[in-house]
Amino acid sequence: MAEGPQPKRKREEEEEKNGGTDTQGGATAAFALSDLRVRRVLRESARDKIVFLHAERIGLSGEGTDAVVILEKTPFQEEKIPDLLKKPMNAELQMHNDIYCTFYLSPPPELSEIKATVVYPATEKHIQKYLRQEVHLIRETWEDYKNITLPFIQSQSFSIQWVYNILEKKAEADRIVHENPDPSNGFVLVPDLKWNQNQHKYSCMAPGSLYNSLGSCECCVRSKALLPLSVSPPSPPVSLQLDDLYLIALVHRREIKSLRDLTAEHLPLLRNVLQEGKEAIVKRFGVSGSQLRIYLHYQPSYQHLHVHFTALGYDAPGSSVERAHLLADVIDNLAMDSMYYQKRALTFPLRADEPLFKKFQEAGKV
Ligand code: M7G
């Protein structure tokens, strides 16, 4: 890919400097999905029915601004399945052999939704994050963390403005499932960007989005992304799609970057996240604590302490052993030894093209 024009580069530098995106009080300027043009496919998965695209939006001057678009076929909603067979649609028989046959269905739009997640404007780092790459495991000692990883993340980690927008109620305020407002032991629990919630009211990810009197999201009405909602009355509450339930707890304290910073001092905070997070989820969604996978990532993409809550039956991205650390185990480890995470080596995956991987290579650690 040819490097983008100078203004984009300047914008990226500005963004990294300011630690934020093109936000106005937490809300990014609205745009229509149809304004975006696909440049290339970064990655796709036939199994997960997901495709990651590098797109761009052409401005009035003809200059393109990068975007990442993630298109994902949404899971089936149990109550809508009977309609799939009943509603008039094309059902093309592909093959029939004895008792076996395969059809290809073309369902009406309300039964064939696709979730589109947009990162706009996207930095080069966002594009790299979704590009398919060779992956290597790193074994990071505490010394490696201090000498290689820490200086690197201090110089160039992802912007965490979106986290501050949530904590300050500038974005996603109406999505908050639970909050403990204590500045040192409190946190905010919200649905994660990755959860395919079929109820639009809960699924509009536009920062600062507002819902109009019809129950539809004004930003999407503006962007024409969901036209039918702007003209029809609010639908009665439908059951949420819980198969891939995914929430995230963001702590109020801002100085804790990751697992590496945790000591016994943080136990009250971590215990609150575990206990109150489970209670809030069973109360709101009816999913009990024993059916949740509650964990931290190491390395996280965003260096502000957060905890992932996913449905146990959901094979969530990043829930594998090389990245996920169960919160209950983290609590036990810290209770046994306050300096546990400043002593032990931690393993994590890095893509071959990541600058941090190169730093480990240069230090002869890979
Ligand atoms: P991570 O372990 O730092 O990185 O987790 P990962 O993205 O590589 O897993 C950050 C989590 O925050 C991920 O599960 C993201 O899906 C989620 N996330 C990222 N953003 C930008 C947002 C956002 O704007 N809103 C919400 N609700 N979740 C987000």
Side-chain angles (χ1 to χ4, degrees):
M1 181 195 83
E3 193 37 84
Q6 191 61 18
K8 187 197 91 182
R9 217 183 245 282
K10 257 179 96 181
R11 177 182 48 70
E12 278 183 13
E13 280 164 14
E14 279 297 301
E15 181 187 326
E16 294 308 328
K17 219 168 54 209
N18 300 334
T21 51
D22 174 19
T23 54
Q24 299 140 7
T28 308
F31 63 94
L33 269 184
S34 54
D35 287 351
L36 299 174
R37 195 176 74 184
V38 177
R39 289 189 60 173
R40 62 179 168 149
V41 173
L42 297 169
R43 176 156 44 109
E44 63 184 313
S45 161
R47 197 193 70 167
D48 299 330
K49 316 285 183 295
I50 191 166
V51 63
F52 301 82
L53 303 170
H54 176 188
E56 66 181 349
R57 184 183 181 211
I58 308 296
L60 290 177
S61 59
E63 170 204 308
T65 304
D66 287 330
V68 168
V69 180
I70 305 167
L71 299 177
E72 185 176 8
K73 297 205 177 177
T74 55
F76 289 108
Q77 269 185 292
E78 213 173 310
E79 68 275 14
K80 289 189 183 170
I81 291 175
D83 286 351
L84 264 177
L85 304 180
K86 259 194 276 145
K87 289 229 167 160
M89 74 180 97
N90 274 343
E92 198 181 302
L93 178 67
Q94 197 208 21
M95 80 96 190
H96 186 183
N97 181 354
D98 189 32
I99 58 170
Y100 305 100
C101 49
T102 319
F103 289 93
Y104 275 83
L105 311 183
S106 308
E110 70 275 16
L111 296 174
S112 53
E113 280 175 338
I114 289 179
K115 176 184 169 195
T117 305
V118 180
V119 182
Y120 173 83
T123 65
E124 192 57 37
K125 242 184 284 168
H126 288 110
I127 294 166
Q128 290 302 321
K129 176 175 156 104
Y130 295 111
L131 193 62
R132 188 185 298 286
Q133 286 286 337
E134 210 175 84
V135 178
H136 296 266
L137 276 189
I138 298 292
R139 187 88 181 137
E140 179 202 67
T141 62
W142 172 246
E143 282 65 40
D144 293 338
Y145 174 71
K146 270 192 318 189
N147 300 330
I148 306 174
T149 312
L150 185 59
F152 178 81
I153 57 183
Q154 278 168 341
S155 70
Q156 45 177 300
S157 56
F158 266 130
S159 159
I160 47 175
Q161 187 58 44
W162 66 272
V163 176
Y164 298 153
N165 286 345
I166 292 175
L167 296 177
E168 292 165 16
K169 320 283 159 46
K170 291 180 179 166
E172 305 186 44
D174 49 353
R175 290 160 43 86
I176 293 176
V177 170
H178 174 75
E179 175 168 19
N180 176 333
D182 189 282
S184 105
N185 294 326
F187 67 99
V188 169
L189 182 70
V190 284
D192 191 279
L193 201 59
K194 293 189 198 114
W195 186 4
N196 283 302
Q197 291 172 289
N198 285 48
Q199 258 184 309
H200 175 62
K201 184 164 168 40
Y202 294 100
S203 64
C204 175
M205 296 308 303
S209 66
L210 300 166
Y211 297 98
N212 66 22
S213 55
L214 293 175
S216 16
C217 166
E218 284 181 354
C219 80
C220 292
V221 173
R222 271 203 309 277
S223 74
K224 301 189 190 69
L226 277 155
L227 264 181
L229 275 174
S230 68
V231 290
S232 38
S235 12
V238 287
S239 62
L240 274 170
Q241 205 297 112
L242 297 175
D243 291 354
D244 60 347
L245 173 137
Y246 200 145
L247 293 103
I248 189 152
L250 306 163
V251 304
H252 277 301
R253 286 174 72 158
R254 299 194 173 192
E255 78 286 2
I256 317 170
K257 290 184 287 306
S258 73
L259 205 54
R260 279 294 192 197
D261 287 335
L262 293 176
T263 63
E265 186 229 329
H266 303 110
L267 281 170
L269 166 65
L270 299 174
R271 288 184 175 128
N272 283 349
V273 171
L274 185 63
Q275 192 55 33
E276 294 176 29
K278 283 198 282 194
E279 283 167 10
I281 290 175
V282 76
K283 199 165 152 206
R284 175 72 75 91
F285 305 110
V287 178
S288 71
S290 59
Q291 294 174 300
L292 293 171
R293 189 187 292 107
I294 306 170
Y295 57 99
L296 292 87
H297 275 160
Y298 193 77
Q299 280 281 338
S301 297
Y302 302 94
Q303 302 281 333
H304 174 109
L305 192 78
H306 55 272
V307 176
H308 303 252
F309 289 73
T310 61
L312 194 56
Y314 170 47
D315 191 10
S319 59
S320 45
V321 288
E322 68 271 29
R323 210 161 168 227
H325 296 253
L326 289 177
L327 178 58
D329 289 347
V330 171
I331 290 174
D332 273 4
N333 291 335
L334 291 173
M336 278 189 302
D337 182 351
S338 174
M339 302 302 281
Y340 186 87
Y341 291 101
Q342 286 88 50
K343 284 180 183 165
R344 61 159 289 185
L346 292 171
T347 300
F348 58 87
L350 280 180
R351 293 188 319 272
D353 67 317
E354 285 189 73
L356 185 56
F357 180 73
K358 296 205 173 72
K359 299 263 178 221
F360 272 87
Q361 263 184 331
E362 283 160 19
K365 303 281 177 176
V366 204

